[in-house]
Each structure stands twice: as C-alpha cells, then as structure tokens.
Amino acid sequence: MTERAAEKSIVVGVDGSDASMAALRWAAGQARALHAVVVAVHAWEPVAAGRAPYAPPAARPTPAEQRVQAAQVLASALRTVFGPRIGDRVRAVVVEGQPARVLLEQARGALLLAIGHRGDAAHGRPVPGPIGRACLRGATVPVVAVPAADVQPGLRAIGAA
C-alpha cells in the first residue's frame, strides 16, 4: 500500500522498538484530541543486499517472507498499543522502501509526523538516529520526536490538562 496520508491524519513511524511504540501511543492521544486518523507506517527494505554473498540461499528470506514479517511487526505493535480492537481511526501501512523516504512520502499532507527517539542517558538529550535525522531534515510537516520513556512531561496532547 503506497497511498499517502489524508489531510486530517498523524503519520507515525513504527518499527517495533520501545521508542516507536511510545510515538504510536503519543500519536493516538494527539489524534483523539485533533479528531484525526493515525496512520501507522512500517517501512522495510529487502535484507538480501545485507547478506554475505556466500550465505546459503536457505538463510535468505524471500521477498514474500520479508513482506509478511514486516506486516507482523506492525500488527504486533498495533495490538500492543491499542489492544485487540484497533478501530477505524487507525490505518496500518506497510511499504517496501528506505524508511526515511517512505515516512516523508507518507507524511506529505498530514498534520504531523511522529517518530520515536532514544535518549542520551549521559546528558538526557534526544538522540535521533539516521532515520529520525533524515525525517527532521526533509519533512514538509511538523515532526515530533517522542522519547522511549513512559514519562514525557514535555509532550502533552492538545487539550490535555
């Protein structure tokens, strides 16, 4: 599925990490406050290019297996955050491609793009990874980087007390 987000939507990158799960939770709360739809996006790249050429073919997953695994990662994240009943205000999008490029494309026309980030334990500052940095540089919509920690005093949904 490669359609881009509709206007009243919040796009969130989901890779199954704690940070992306926090971003998905935050995006869900923000979407409720703004009466928007959450578009949960999982981008995947074929892993064959990253395997050693001498690796046995059985060790290389097929593109179809990789697609299924990507869909499972996203489905698992959605079940973890929303439970068994996800509802019609959440759309799941799985796209083959470079993650930053896919997220930027999906976020065109959305209200915002939410991504997770890991914190710098030594200094307490956000440390975006390469995908986060690419999203921050190339986004045409506001980008919110949500920390993996459960307590996020600086991030509050609009209208929340």
Side-chain angles (χ1 to χ4, degrees), residues 87-108:
D88 61 351
R89 302 298 293 169
V90 177
R91 286 201 336 245
V93 178
V94 177
V95 179
E96 179 181 352
Q98 196 282 326
R101 183 187 55 74
V102 168
L103 289 173
L104 291 171
E105 182 178 306
Q106 291 290 319
R108 250 185 253 133

Side-chain angles (χ1 to χ4, degrees), residues 52-155:
Y54 52 81
R60 298 180 198 159
T62 67
E65 291 169 333
Q66 293 174 55
R67 234 181 321 283
V68 167
Q69 183 179 13
Q72 289 172 341
V73 167
L74 183 55
S76 175
L78 291 172
R79 277 192 307 275
T80 299
V81 171
F82 297 105
R85 301 184 77 205
I86 294 172
D88 61 351
R89 302 298 293 169
V90 177
R91 286 201 336 245
V93 178
V94 177
V95 179
E96 179 181 352
Q98 196 282 326
R101 183 187 55 74
V102 168
L103 289 173
L104 291 171
E105 182 178 306
Q106 291 290 319
R108 250 185 253 133
L111 294 173
L112 61 90
L113 169 62
I115 57 174
H117 75 79
R118 55 187 159 76
D120 177 0
H123 301 98
R125 294 182 301 220
V127 180
I131 295 167
R133 285 191 303 271
C135 287
L136 289 167
R137 277 192 310 267
T140 58
V141 299
V143 178
V144 176
V146 181
D150 287 335
V151 179
Q152 303 163 9
L155 292 175

Side-chain angles (χ1 to χ4, degrees), residues 37-65:
V37 173
V38 172
V39 180
V41 178
H42 179 77
W44 64 279
E45 293 182 281
V47 296
R51 300 281 180 174
Y54 52 81
R60 298 180 198 159
T62 67
E65 291 169 333

